[in-house]
Amino acid sequence: MTNGAAIGYMIIAARKAGLDDEAIQRLESAMYQEMDRVTEGEAEHVYQNS
């Protein structure tokens, strides 16, 4: 999955969850930062153990 696709899924889910545009923009920014810092394997491990 590309970073863009992951961000797209997040935006769709955030809208369905009722987040406002400002919150979605903050979340998008945080996701891009973490995508640069954390490997896919590390992210998958966090998901599997949450």
Side-chain angles (χ1 to χ4, degrees):
M1 175 181 308
T2 66
N3 288 357
I7 297 290
Y9 280 119
M10 176 278 297
I11 291 170
I12 292 166
R15 286 178 179 159
K16 287 187 180 243
L19 275 68
D20 62 27
D21 288 341
E22 184 179 327
I24 292 171
Q25 288 176 336
R26 287 193 314 270
L27 187 53
E28 179 180 356
S29 176
M31 282 187 68
Y32 272 118
Q33 290 173 9
E34 294 307 311
M35 288 173 164
D36 287 340
R37 192 180 70 79
V38 177
T39 68
E40 283 188 43
E42 291 168 329
E44 181 71 23
H45 179 77
V46 170
Y47 171 69
Q48 295 294 331
N49 292 295
S50 63

